[in-house]
Structures are given as structure tokens and as C-alpha cells.
Amino acid sequence: KEWNQSSDENNKTWQDYKKIWRRAGILRYFNSIDTSKDWQLLDRKIRERNRKVRYLTQTAYLVSGMAASVLIMLMLNVLSPDYNHAVKVSTKWGDRSEVVLPDGSSVSLNSGSTLSYRYDSSNKIRLVEFAGEGFFQVSKSKNPFLIKAPDGLELKVLGTKFNLQAYPEDQFSRIALTEGKVELTTAASQVLVLSPGQVAAFDKTNEQLTPDPVDPGHLLSWMDNKLYMDNMSLGEVCSRMERWYDVHISIGDPSLAKSIHYTGVLSEETIVDVMEALCKLSAIQYRMTGNKITADLMAAFLNNSNAMTIFPFCT
């Protein structure tokens, strides 16, 4: 409220978001319309009326019925989800976004994600190709919602909520289900069905799909700008931070990427805050120039004669 009242520009932004929110609610109404049933009812009424009139009158009614039919179809096309409309959206490193698909489903996209949507009318499938990380809220429909992730992993749902982490460069893809049911299938035809509260991991090196004991809430924490680290390596932490903050992090001694591990929660707002928190947890130091960061053991920086003036040190 304070932010809203602090300036006219903030208030205008707030009003714009309110309009978007209200219009998005119309999509819920879209899903309640049974266009097939309504069309059959209209068609039956037209045919019953035509049987009761003489030939000339019947012809007139037929023409008006056709005009009404065209009008009704145009209205139904406006009010019902346009499944055939294709959508493609992506987020850059350091950015996040939300998108509402033509079928009413919504997706929250994490940094560096790409999503394309189309309706396969021949197979009656809502088809999505996805890479990156996103939280899906799939609208219920008799038409299955099929997601194709990198390296042959497929997810089939009807109506559900889940988080999909599937960056092409990562060894593992992970799926955390919060509501509904998801059927996972690999290129090797391995099938795994998830229930709410379960997590699955797909190892791309051996193409094995297995249940994962990780807390599903930890995988959803990115939406609250938090990173849960359960014995997470420095290399994996840096990889996450590169995506979140659009920076490039290089580690002077490559062995540190796997030898240093962290357990805890990172909730810092800036990359500087994150790096300084990591420094306090382990004997590393960093140098930052623009969006390029170099991390190494503290001793390696101390050996540099300019270390005290060039590199920020943790207290």
C-alpha cells in the first residue's frame, strides 16, 4: 500500500496489473463452456422449426438459421479457449515471467527458460516443448497436456500443479508434484506415475527415472527467491546463481566446485550478498568485474600483491 501511494507511476502500474488480473479471470469462464453440447442444441432447434413451416417459409428460416449459426459460432470462438493458437515465450538469464496459455493453464517461468505451446488437433493433445524451470498450473480438460523436456523425458497430465526443472546443461531433471497426477515417460519407455507430494529425478547420463526423497517445497522455493542447499556443491550453487542473477562465475581451482559443499538456505537479494554469504561459510574469496565473478581459495587471493585493494574480503 505504501509503495502504491508513493508515486503516480507506481499507482498506474498497480492499476495496470489489476486490469490484467481481472481479465485473466475470464479464462475460468472459458473452461465452463461446452461448445459441442450448445451447438447440438442449437442445431436440433433449427431442424425442429424447419419441419413445422411450409417450403418458402422453411427456406427463409434456413437462411436466418445459417446466419444465426455463423453468429453463434463467432461468439463461441471468442468465448471459448483458442486451443489452436500457438504460443512461444522465453526468459533471459536473471529474469522471470508468468504466462497464461490459450487453454487457460498458467506457467511461472524461472530464468533462462523457453516454452512453446500448440494444440495438436489430429491427436487432440495440448503439446508443450519446454526447457528450463517452471511451475505449471494446468487447467483441467479432456484433452491431455503433454510436455516434452530435453533428452526425451515426457510428462502427461490432465489437470494438476507441479514444478519442472529441466535445464539442458544439468545432469538431472526434477519434477515436484503438488496437486493431481503426472505420468512420466523416458525415451527408453520407462514409466513413473507421481502422486501429490512426490518428487522424481531423471538422470540424463544413464537415462534412469527414479523417485527423489528431496522435500518438494525446496524445489518450489525459487519463486520466493530462496535456494535450499542440502549438501549442495559450490559448482551447483554457482550454476544456480548464474541463472538467477545473469552473471558468469568461474572457479580458479576447478576441484573446489565439487569439494566444497553447503547446507542451509540462501535468501539474499543481490549476487554480492550471495557471494559474501558463501565466503563466510567457507574459505573462499571472490573478485567481481561487471557481471564476471572469479572465486578461489582465500590463500590464492592473498598471494596476489594487489589483493587488499582489488578484492573485497568477508568479515
Side-chain angles (χ1 to χ4, degrees):
K1 185 176 180 180
E2 291 175 357
W3 174 87
N4 184 21
Q5 297 176 347
S6 62
S7 70
D8 292 339
E9 183 180 356
N10 288 353
N11 182 259
K12 182 180 182 301
T13 301
W14 169 248
Q15 296 301 328
D16 290 341
Y17 279 128
K18 284 173 64 177
K19 290 179 182 178
I20 294 173
W21 178 261
R22 289 168 180 167
R23 290 172 183 174
I26 297 174
L27 292 171
R28 294 183 177 273
Y29 172 68
F30 290 167
N31 294 328
S32 67
I33 299 175
D34 189 340
T35 57
S36 177
K37 182 179 179 180
D38 291 343
W39 176 249
Q40 291 175 5
L41 178 61
L42 175 65
D43 184 62
R44 186 171 67 250
K45 288 184 177 180
I46 292 175
R47 286 188 282 108
E48 289 176 352
R49 187 193 314 181
N50 288 342
R51 285 196 297 265
K52 297 178 181 178
V53 297
R54 293 175 303 175
Y55 175 76
L56 291 177
T57 309
Q58 179 181 5
T59 303
Y61 275 128
L62 179 60
V63 173
S64 63
M66 290 174 60
S69 300
V70 172
L71 178 60
I72 292 295
M73 287 303 293
L74 289 174
M75 293 175 64
L76 291 177
N77 283 335
V78 172
L79 295 176
S80 61
D82 183 7
Y83 278 27
N84 293 307
H85 182 60
V87 173
K88 187 171 184 179
V89 63
S90 62
T91 55
K92 298 179 180 179
W93 298 121
D95 291 340
R96 293 175 183 173
S97 181
E98 292 190 19
V99 59
V100 178
L101 302 179
D103 68 332
S105 301
S106 63
V107 188
S108 299
L109 297 174
N110 203 349
S111 304
S113 301
T114 59
L115 179 151
S116 64
Y117 166 96
R118 65 182 178 87
Y119 179 63
D120 184 350
S121 57
S122 59
N123 295 311
K124 299 186 182 303
I125 292 177
R126 297 171 287 169
L127 185 60
V128 170
E129 294 183 4
F130 181 78
E133 184 169 23
F135 181 72
F136 289 75
Q137 299 184 69
V138 180
S139 62
K140 294 183 179 181
S141 169
K142 61 183 179 181
N143 301 309
F145 192 96
L146 183 65
I147 301 177
K148 293 187 176 182
D151 299 303
L153 182 65
E154 292 187 355
L155 295 80
K156 183 178 181 181
V157 302
L158 290 175
T160 186
K161 297 179 181 180
F162 60 94
N163 190 79
L164 172 59
Q165 185 184 95
Y167 287 101
E169 63 272 18
D170 287 355
Q171 178 182 348
F172 291 92
S173 292
R174 287 186 170 86
I175 303 92
L177 183 64
T178 62
E179 183 179 305
K181 186 174 291 187
V182 172
E183 180 181 282
L184 310 174
T185 307
T186 68
S189 299
Q190 183 185 0
V191 178
L192 179 63
V193 177
L194 291 183
S195 297
Q198 293 184 326
V199 177
F202 176 61
D203 190 338
K204 300 175 186 177
T205 57
N206 57 21
E207 296 188 348
Q208 289 298 306
L209 183 63
T210 58
D212 194 329
V214 67
D215 186 335
H218 291 179
L219 294 181
L220 299 172
S221 63
W222 65 268
M223 292 188 289
D224 295 323
N225 295 315
K226 294 181 181 180
L227 175 63
Y228 280 85
M229 303 176 295
D230 185 7
N231 198 33
M232 185 178 291
S233 69
L234 172 62
E236 186 174 353
V237 172
C238 289
S239 177
R240 299 285 186 93
M241 296 303 102
E242 286 180 323
R243 296 167 182 163
W244 287 17
Y245 296 101
D246 190 21
V247 295
H248 176 72
I249 304 176
S250 60
I251 301 175
D253 183 354
S255 64
L256 297 179
K258 296 183 178 180
S259 62
I260 297 179
H261 291 78
Y262 302 94
T263 296
V265 183
L266 281 176
S267 58
E268 281 67 23
E269 293 186 359
T270 69
I271 185 61
V272 172
D273 294 335
V274 171
M275 295 306 299
E276 296 206 2
L278 296 179
C279 288
K280 293 176 181 179
L281 295 172
S282 56
I284 65 170
Q285 191 51 266
Y286 75 98
R287 172 178 58 189
M288 185 171 182
T289 305
N291 70 335
K292 300 184 184 298
I293 298 173
T294 302
D296 209 335
L297 287 173
M298 187 177 296
F301 285 99
L302 291 174
N303 290 334
N304 188 309
S305 59
N306 296 323
M308 293 302 292
T309 57
I310 295 179
F311 307 118
F313 281 82
C314 301
T315 57

